[in-house]
Amino acid sequence: MSFLRRFLVHGVFWRQFLRWAVLNVPPWFEPAIIAFWSAFFLLWANGRRSVMRNLSAILPGSTALANFFRCYRVFWNFAWTLSDTGRLRETRVIPTWELEGREHLDALQSGGGAILLTAHMGSYDLGAHLFSETSTRRIVMVRAPEEDPQTRAFEEHHGAEGLRIEFNTRATELALDLLETVRGGAIVAIQGDRVVGSISTLPATFFGKPVSVPAGPFALALAARVPIYPVFVVRAGRRRYRLVTSRPIEITRSRNRDDDFARAVEQWMAELERVIHECWYQWFAFEQHWPEQAA
């Protein structure tokens, strides 16, 4: 049974196969390979249904048939992102970058400690490479661990050089470690578009529906007295990406901490909703996002 687990959606086989393809498939044949595998993964019923239901909330009035083909586009963009990440890791093929919100990016890179709040868009490794090329700041990324232990070990071994990744499996110890890190002037990057595992949450509204978002980034920013920068990686074409940096979120202290968090969460959700509405085909959320969808 453990052998067969490697062939499941989250199994290590697909990461190993991707690495083999990056090293052996010529670039001119890459579009055909990606088109085939994007269509193949439409057979993944849970992922396909989840993406389609998420799209129905993002694009009210959209039909199931239209969202089926939109789902293919999401899978297609995800496959290109994986391929580009693999080529960066294995062959050092560096994508071209476009910068949106350059003034906010400059402030992020030149200031003290900060929280970089992002979503399941683009690639950790591609974004980390851009930061390593344009800044001397230390960056620490927090993420949920891979479901499959073999996949997690593979990603840790083949991860981006010079990038420290923390897995949110030990909440209290990690929170204290990150607080010290960001107070020391580092950038801490956290995904804030969905809740994974048993972590503290805050209430929010997303496309008019109630959701929960991770409380960690906001609590860390309040405790360390640092700004939160919404940052998104968007694929713009073959080997081309756009880094979108938005106006920083400042959490001001008052006597009511819940109100402080609520204002910050509202600003974050407004930016998240804006980017996902414009780039729905880039939001790689393969689980049902809204609670009532699971009923």
Side-chain angles (χ1 to χ4, degrees), residues 4 10 54 93 125 136 138 156 194 196 209 241-243 263 274 289:
L4 295 178
H10 298 286
N54 291 341
V93 174
D125 286 356
T136 58
R138 187 163 66 101
E156 289 178 348
R194 65 186 179 94
V196 179
K209 299 182 179 183
Y241 287 82
R242 184 169 77 252
L243 187 74
R263 286 190 294 270
R274 178 185 66 83
H289 194 76

Side-chain angles (χ1 to χ4, degrees), residues 124 128 138-143 159-167 170 173-174 176-182 186-189:
Y124 267 147
R138 187 163 66 101
I139 183 168
V140 177
M141 292 193 170
V142 181
R143 61 180 294 181
E161 295 180 3
L163 175 64
R164 175 182 158 197
I165 297 179
E166 293 283 358
F167 295 96
R170 45 186 186 89
E173 295 178 24
L174 179 58
L176 294 174
D177 187 24
L178 293 177
L179 180 59
E180 181 180 354
T181 298
V182 75
I187 297 173
V188 174

Side-chain angles (χ1 to χ4, degrees), residues 30-278:
E30 188 177 23
I33 294 294
I34 286 179
F36 170 79
W37 285 109
S38 300
F40 174 82
F41 272 95
L42 286 175
L43 298 174
W44 176 30
N46 289 339
R48 183 187 70 246
R49 293 192 193 105
S50 296
V51 170
M52 291 175 64
R53 288 171 179 169
N54 291 341
L55 287 170
S56 68
I58 297 169
L59 305 170
S62 55
T63 66
L65 179 61
N67 286 336
F68 176 83
F69 289 104
R70 290 188 179 108
C71 179
Y72 172 81
R73 190 176 176 187
V74 173
F75 286 1
W76 183 76
N77 273 289
F78 184 59
W80 271 111
T81 300
L82 292 177
S83 177
D84 290 341
T85 301
R87 291 199 178 278
L88 173 66
R89 288 178 178 179
E90 304 298 336
T91 63
R92 308 306 297 172
V93 174
I94 300 172
T96 302
W97 286 93
E98 304 169 6
L99 302 179
E100 180 179 322
R102 182 62 184 262
E103 68 277 14
H104 302 311
L105 179 62
D106 290 342
L108 168 63
Q109 294 180 328
S110 62
I115 308 297
L116 189 158
L117 196 54
T118 186
H120 287 77
M121 304 175 74
S123 164
Y124 267 147
D125 286 356
L126 294 177
H129 179 268
L130 176 63
F131 272 91
S132 67
E133 289 293 312
T134 60
S135 174
T136 58
R137 302 285 300 284
R138 187 163 66 101
I139 183 168
V140 177
M141 292 193 170
V142 181
R143 61 180 294 181
E146 295 287 345
E147 294 182 16
D148 184 85
Q150 290 181 315
T151 303
R152 175 176 174 175
F154 180 89
E155 287 298 312
E156 289 178 348
H157 180 70
H158 294 279
E161 295 180 3
L163 175 64
R164 175 182 158 197
I165 297 179
E166 293 283 358
F167 295 96
N168 57 354
T169 55
R170 45 186 186 89
T172 302
E173 295 178 24
L174 179 58
L176 294 174
D177 187 24
L178 293 177
L179 180 59
E180 181 180 354
T181 298
V182 75
R183 281 178 172 171
I187 297 173
V188 174
I190 307 175
Q191 289 175 320
D193 56 334
R194 65 186 179 94
V195 174
V196 179
S198 301
I199 60 175
S200 298
T201 63
L202 292 170
T205 301
F206 191 38
F207 288 99
K209 299 182 179 183
V211 295
S212 295
V213 296
F218 304 95
L220 181 60
L222 183 65
R225 299 178 183 268
V226 298
I228 298 173
Y229 285 85
V231 177
F232 306 92
V233 176
V234 178
R235 182 174 175 270
R238 188 170 187 182
R239 310 275 192 265
R240 292 192 300 111
Y241 287 82
R242 184 169 77 252
L243 187 74
V244 181
T245 309
S246 302
R247 178 170 59 90
I249 302 170
E250 303 279 355
I251 303 183
T252 55
R253 289 174 178 265
S254 72
R255 294 183 178 181
N256 191 323
R257 192 175 70 164
D258 290 341
D259 287 346
D260 299 338
F261 285 148
R263 286 190 294 270
V265 169
E266 183 179 7
Q267 188 176 342
W268 160 241
M269 298 308 293
E271 285 300 315
L272 179 64
E273 190 169 315
R274 178 185 66 83
V275 174
I276 288 180
H277 188 269
E278 292 176 359

